[in-house]
Amino acid sequence: MRDTISLIKPTNFIHNQINKDLDSGLHSSVLTRFPPEPNGYLHIGHAKSIYINFGVAKDYAGYCNLRFDDTNPAKEDIEYVNSIKKDIQWLGFDWNGEVKYSSRYFDIFYKCAEELISKGLAYVCFLTNDEARKYRGTLKNPGLNSPYRDTSIEQNKALFKKMKEGEFKEGECVLRSKIDMSSSFMCMRDPTLYRIRFETHHQTNDDWCIYPMYDFAHCLGDAIEGVTHSLCTLEFQDNRRIYDWLLEHLDEFNKIDRPHQYEFSRLNLEYATTSKRKLKLLVDNSYVSGWNDPRMPTISGLRRRGYTPESIRNFSERVGVSKVNSLTDASILESSIRDHLNITAPRTMAVIDPIKLVIANYPEGKIESLKAPVHPQNKEMGTREIFFSREIYIDKEDFVEIAPNNKYKRLALNKEVRLRNSYVIKATHFDIDNDGNIKTVYCTYDPDTLGKNPSNGRKVKGVIHYVESSKAINAEFRIYDRLFLESNPAKFDDLSSSINPSSLEIKNGLVEPNLSDAKAEFSYQFEREGYFCRDSESEGLVFNKTVGLRDTWNQ
Ligand code: ATP
Ligand code: MG
């Protein structure tokens, strides 16, 4: 087996560790796992974890399990299970075999708890929450032994059975491990292994009323599945001691090649939160339209916004694996999608804030069909049909009465500008409505400028985009800004104080007719405007702005 797996050139400490373990013969293959708790949708931080777990497995021709860490029925839901599976597949990863659930191991966990009790290493404790907190001590002071710590093994066995059989109330007692109440690691002060919850579980229904704690279930799940390297985030660093203690004290799992835990830094993203609890608050309090609101840093929000799996994988690669927690620049995520769409997105024209132009010297009733490249740098993507006639629309921002200076590159009275993929025009005069707003701009066009420069050496510097009025179709544009005003909203427990009140702007404009059947979540470059994709949750033609054409974060 060992011969078929090659060590790879390490690019991070996880590779170093795995190389060492393969080289020493401790392991002959690599099995990792991604263990989400189905209590929310996956976010960009999970994407990093997925990329690392599945990526490392792939690097060594190994496997990665998907295991739902479903030990808290109060907060979990099958909706989350389904969204998590969908998101992982969309990101381009395949888990090893069947989806795994911690809840499938409840019988084994129960037996392990009994083994610890039989070894005098676990006891049923009736301290109330408040009492238990006091007995726990502080970072400076050691804890005190619970008065229930010395209950006999036989009594503990009977009490634990009673817990399982529902003879105690929720919160009345817990099963605790007997480790060390004076440990300098708080998590080693007789941590809880099981608690009582009278809740219906999405996988096991009402079979159980006692549920294992994360620390107990996690290492056992890893050991049962034969995980070799259990990769998690740094906040579990101290808990590694429980992980090791439990596996070392259970006969079945105390083996030389048992799993080991390694920690890497969490991803924290500027102007976003990667706490599921806080994301859920945003949803529950209707600050956003749902978990997949395009402003959410969830995988489903990013997908709806037009992010591609490739861009999220590239982002994960760029942020890398380290042991130092930091705040990642929002511009890194945006440039990863911009870089990808710059290569792949078909070009098209959309007028987001339209004003009408009348080309006075163009024949009435005539419509011309023109060809425009789908991607100017990639001829293989072919051409698209666009139109030109006497009436067109341009963006309001592209016209001013008097050019402010010689460098002005858009349309102004008596100045020439090129319409993208079309003719050179010149503005002559305009109408205003009763409120003094510009209503219609009148122009002339030069018929001899299609695909060529104007004659007699006239230089036309500017290019603006447009749509032809009779063929263009109405569309709504949703333009997003950062969801939070603070670059590090994690600073606040109450997120509402940092929410950006204008994170969504809605505009109504026009797009080229070929966008009538635009596929949802597939981004186009609206030339000069940015990347946009059709919204997957709306009936009509609604486009979400994925990202602008340039980095505007650092200005
Ligand atoms: P919870 O507070 O609900 O436990 P969680 O963010 O830890 O939230 P899990 O579903 O337990 O969510 O996470 C699954 C895996 O993803 C874990 O291994 C966790 O370490 C990892 N993970 C979660 N958030 C991040 C993040 N921001 N960056 C990197 N990895 C993360
Ligand atoms: Mg967790």
Side-chain angles (χ1 to χ4, degrees):
M1 189 68 180
R2 166 72 184 81
D3 305 342
T4 59
I5 295 169
S6 358
L7 304 188
I8 68 160
K9 193 166 163 277
T11 59
N12 57 49
F13 69 92
I14 298 172
H15 288 149
N16 283 331
Q17 182 65 44
I18 297 180
N19 280 354
K20 203 172 116 204
D21 294 343
L22 292 173
D23 206 30
S24 70
L26 178 65
H27 295 296
S28 56
S29 58
V30 173
L31 178 65
T32 58
R33 87 288 167 267
F34 176 66
E37 190 179 342
N39 60 355
Y41 280 60
L42 295 182
H43 55 61
I44 187 72
H46 294 118
K48 169 177 170 173
S49 180
I50 291 169
Y51 184 76
I52 293 174
N53 277 297
F54 284 87
V56 158
K58 197 167 160 214
D59 289 342
Y60 291 93
Y63 294 100
C64 179
N65 288 352
L66 168 61
R67 183 196 322 139
F68 285 101
D69 172 26
D70 56 345
T71 52
N72 184 3
K75 293 198 173 155
E76 296 165 7
D77 199 287
I78 195 76
E79 175 195 346
Y80 300 136
V81 169
N82 293 333
S83 75
I84 290 170
K85 289 197 275 194
K86 176 174 172 187
D87 287 351
I88 296 174
Q89 282 173 325
W90 179 78
L91 281 172
F93 297 105
D94 284 322
W95 48 84
N96 174 33
E98 298 274 290
V99 174
K100 316 278 190 289
Y101 294 85
S102 292
S103 56
R104 300 278 154 86
Y105 311 139
F106 281 174
D107 283 325
I108 306 179
F109 295 167
Y110 185 79
K111 289 205 180 79
C112 290
E114 285 184 322
E115 181 181 337
L116 292 175
I117 295 172
S118 309
K119 288 177 170 167
L121 294 173
Y123 61 99
V124 176
C125 182
F126 290 84
L127 288 178
T128 62
N129 277 343
D130 280 348
E131 287 167 342
R133 202 170 304 123
K134 283 192 195 121
Y135 274 80
R136 238 178 127 217
T138 61
L139 280 175
K140 285 196 187 124
N141 299 315
L144 290 175
N145 284 352
S146 157
Y148 304 95
R149 210 175 195 254
D150 296 322
T151 313
S152 74
I153 289 175
E154 285 318 307
Q155 268 178 300
N156 272 318
K157 278 187 183 167
L159 288 170
F160 187 49
K161 188 154 178 269
K162 274 185 158 185
M163 267 177 77
K164 177 181 184 254
E165 283 165 3
E167 293 186 33
F168 296 117
K169 292 198 292 290
E170 221 172 279
E172 194 175 347
C173 56
V174 294
L175 182 76
R176 292 174 74 176
S177 53
K178 201 187 279 187
I179 308 183
D180 178 6
M181 288 307 292
S182 59
S183 169
S184 53
F185 295 99
M186 296 296 283
C187 64
M188 294 297 273
R189 296 186 183 175
D190 291 7
T192 301
L193 303 180
Y194 265 98
R195 60 189 165 172
I196 301 170
R197 283 277 182 282
F198 291 99
E199 294 268 358
T200 301
H201 188 285
H202 53 99
Q203 302 294 320
T204 57
N205 300 316
D206 295 314
D207 292 354
W208 295 85
C209 66
I210 54 169
Y211 288 95
M213 301 299 287
Y214 169 86
D215 280 328
F216 186 57
H218 197 72
C219 55
L220 297 184
D222 284 349
I224 291 165
E225 291 171 12
V227 165
T228 54
H229 298 82
S230 182
L231 312 174
C232 67
T233 36
L234 278 175
E235 68 271 23
F236 296 106
Q237 209 159 14
D238 286 355
N239 304 54
R240 191 197 323 131
R241 274 124 196 127
I242 314 178
Y243 190 103
D244 291 339
W245 186 91
L246 284 164
L247 296 185
E248 281 161 10
H249 287 90
L250 290 162
D251 297 343
E252 167 93 24
F253 302 124
N254 185 21
K255 294 185 195 140
I256 181 85
D257 62 347
R258 69 171 177 80
H260 281 267
Q261 176 184 305
Y262 302 94
E263 308 89 15
F264 60 88
S265 61
R266 281 180 84 84
L267 174 87
N268 300 301
L269 186 64
E270 269 186 342
Y271 301 101
T273 173
T274 48
S275 153
K276 273 191 283 184
R277 185 177 61 81
K278 290 183 181 167
L279 290 171
K280 187 165 184 322
L281 280 176
L282 293 176
V283 175
D284 291 348
N285 293 314
S286 302
Y287 287 115
V288 292
S289 63
W291 285 95
N292 68 346
D293 185 299
R295 289 166 292 181
M296 291 281 269
T298 49
I299 308 293
S300 49
L302 291 166
R303 174 168 63 229
R304 187 167 159 202
R305 179 128 174 204
Y307 275 72
T308 56
E310 290 87 335
S311 68
I312 297 177
R313 294 198 302 261
N314 282 342
F315 168 75
S316 306
E317 176 69 32
R318 281 168 75 176
V319 297
V321 184
S322 85
K323 280 203 164 275
V324 188
N325 277 324
S326 62
L327 192 59
T328 297
D329 269 22
S331 61
I332 301 183
L333 180 62
E334 290 201 345
S335 63
S336 64
I337 183 64
R338 190 184 292 114
D339 292 351
H340 188 218
L341 294 179
N342 184 31
I343 299 168
T344 58
R347 271 50 172 172
T348 182
M349 293 191 282
V351 176
I352 291 179
D353 205 357
I355 47 165
K356 192 193 277 184
L357 246 63
V358 171
I359 316 287
N361 62 339
Y362 197 87
E364 263 181 74
K366 177 175 171 187
I367 293 194
E368 212 172 322
S369 158
L370 305 172
K371 276 203 170 14
V374 172
H375 194 307
Q377 279 85 49
N378 184 354
K379 294 269 173 300
E380 280 175 18
M381 287 173 79
T383 57
R384 67 188 200 268
E385 185 177 29
I386 61 166
F387 301 92
F388 187 73
S389 80
R390 187 181 164 85
E391 265 188 23
I392 64 171
Y393 285 93
I394 65 163
D395 200 276
K396 254 185 205 135
E397 287 209 336
D398 283 338
F399 174 71
V400 287
E401 188 178 347
I402 301 162
N405 53 46
N406 271 344
K407 290 194 182 121
Y408 185 75
K409 287 203 179 135
R410 307 178 194 183
L411 186 64
L413 290 186
N414 299 316
K415 279 204 66 158
E416 282 190 310
V417 80
R418 176 173 292 280
L419 293 172
R420 180 99 177 122
N421 302 310
S422 180
Y423 297 98
V424 169
I425 57 167
K426 180 185 196 166
T428 54
H429 59 289
F430 60 88
D431 283 344
I432 51 173
D433 64 15
N434 293 339
D435 301 323
N437 299 317
I438 295 173
K439 209 172 87 189
T440 309
V441 180
Y442 296 87
C443 299
T444 54
Y445 88 115
D446 180 344
D448 203 25
T449 51
L450 191 61
K452 54 182 172 176
N453 285 329
S455 56
N456 58 35
R458 272 146 55 217
K459 289 236 157 46
V460 178
K461 284 195 220 118
V463 181
I464 62 171
H465 61 283
Y466 79 101
V467 289
E468 192 278 327
S469 87
S470 68
K471 296 278 188 183
I473 40 182
N474 293 322
E476 175 181 311
F477 305 98
R478 296 186 184 162
I479 296 162
Y480 302 102
D481 195 357
R482 54 191 78 168
L483 189 51
F484 294 102
L485 297 168
E486 267 296 320
S487 65
N488 186 8
K491 280 201 300 213
F492 302 96
D493 204 44
D494 174 17
L495 286 181
S496 60
S497 58
S498 171
I499 292 222
N500 177 2
S502 17
S503 58
L504 167 62
E505 188 188 5
I506 296 182
K507 299 258 189 185
N508 285 293
L510 297 156
V511 293
E512 285 183 24
N514 54 42
L515 283 183
S516 63
D517 58 357
K519 221 168 61 198
E521 297 171 355
F522 174 84
S523 289
Y524 292 83
Q525 187 192 93
F526 289 178
E527 293 186 90
R528 299 182 64 241
E529 292 289 358
Y531 296 96
F532 286 74
C533 73
R534 187 172 185 171
D535 187 50
S536 51
E537 304 267 315
S538 307
E539 286 278 306
L541 261 195
V542 175
F543 289 93
N544 293 315
K545 183 165 180 181
T546 312
V547 68
L549 294 174
R550 276 173 298 277
D551 179 4
T552 49
W553 286 87
N554 297 319
Q555 285 175 3

